[in-house]
């Protein structure tokens, strides 16, 4: 049986498959915190990477936005990480945390500028070979991506990267689900992604993206749980750089809504959530006991 995420050390994470990681998060009962960092920005502190800062402030998982498996680069990381044939696994060892990336569904021509960030057989195989622990799967309708293409991409990842925990993210270009029709639209996409092999679904956290209300979000989360899948909430729209008071309110709301995990996005400060907001959010989500334990535990454990 997988170790509950709240109790997991670096050695536990290193042994987890994608299914184990999903089970570990589920057992933590809504007390899992991920931080997204974007690799197109330099870290706000010299000499360390974004992910190291986020891990030091209590993040359980680190998501690398703009990571291209065809041209790996992690600003601030030691050269030994990128020289390793499995750079994502090497970075995970450095942090003592699971590390994942974002992949994007787009038309091959319209999305050609994405490089290895666009889902293809080659990019998926590279991500698996480089040691990704999880993937957030997005679609870009303005680059020709469609729900059907996204479902095909999820099936591809589930087949070629079976040890990766896959989280599907329905298109945020849909109107916010403020009525039954809006809820149905998200439920349709979520159900199709779960059918295609996703272990969970990512949604905007109310209070961060315009128009998202508590009750419709709770309905979608309940439906995801009915499929025995993970419900993720993303603190997005630059709110990850708002006041610490806002972080506390959103963290408590996430628990009330039933989210299994929360991800703070990267638009807070120089390509990552504001570091003190990671700490404050973690304390509000699970208290000082679990927060300080995550911050203090050596990666050698």
């Amino acid at each position: 049986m997988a170790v509950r995420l709240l109790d997991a050390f670096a050695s536990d994470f290193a042994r987890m498959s994608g299914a184990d990681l999903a089970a570990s998060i589920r057992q933590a009962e809504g007390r899992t915190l991920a931080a997204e960092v974007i690799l197109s920005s330099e870290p706000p502190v010299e000499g360390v990477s974004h992910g190291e800062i986020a891990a030091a402030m209590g993040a359980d998982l680190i998501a690398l936005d703009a990571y291209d498996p065809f041209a790996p680069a992690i600003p601030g990381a030691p050269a030994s990480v990128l020289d390793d044939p499995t750079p994502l696994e090497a970075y995970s060892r450095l942090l003592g945390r699971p590390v994942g990336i974002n992949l994007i569904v787009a038309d091959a021509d319209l999305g050609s500028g994405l490089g290895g960030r666009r889902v293809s057989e080659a990019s998926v195989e590279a991500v698996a070979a480089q040691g990704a622990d999880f993937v957030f799967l997005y679609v870009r309708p303005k680059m020709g991506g469609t729900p059907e293409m996204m479902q095909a991409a999820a099936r591809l990842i589930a087949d070629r990267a079976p040890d990766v925990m896959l989280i599907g993210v329905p298109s945020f270009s849909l109107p916010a689900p403020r009525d039954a029709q809006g809820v149905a639209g998200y439920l349709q996409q979520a159900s199709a992604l779960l059918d295609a092999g996703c272990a969970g679904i990512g949604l905007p956290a109310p209070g961060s993206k315009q128009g998202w209300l508590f009750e419709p979000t709770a309905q979608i989360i309940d439906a995801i749980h009915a499929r025995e899948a993970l419900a993720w909430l993303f603190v997005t729209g630059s709110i990850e750089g708002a006041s610490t008071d806002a972080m506390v309110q959103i963290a408590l709301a996430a628990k009330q809504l039933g989210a299994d995990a929360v991800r703070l996005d990267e638009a807070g400060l120089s390509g990552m959530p504001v570091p003190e907001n990671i700490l404050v959010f973690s304390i509000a989500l699970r208290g000082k006991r679990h927060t300080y334990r995550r911050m203090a535990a050596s990666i050698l454990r």
Side-chain angles (χ1 to χ4, degrees), residues 105-118:
V105 175
D107 176 80
D109 293 327
L110 295 176
S112 60
L114 295 171
R117 298 166 60 199
R118 187 183 70 82

Side-chain angles (χ1 to χ4, degrees), residues 36-103:
E36 182 185 49
V37 303
I38 191 165
L39 304 182
S40 56
S41 296
E42 288 297 317
V45 179
E46 68 279 3
V48 291
S49 61
H50 293 95
E52 290 170 271
I53 299 169
M57 303 307 289
D60 299 305
L61 296 87
I62 306 299
L64 306 181
D65 192 14
Y67 180 87
D68 187 338
F70 296 163
I74 303 175
S80 60
V81 168
L82 297 176
D83 291 340
D84 194 289
T86 56
L88 293 173
E89 183 178 338
Y91 193 52
S92 178
R93 288 196 302 268
L94 178 78
L95 302 180
R97 305 286 197 278
V99 169
I101 70 166
N102 298 334
L103 286 178

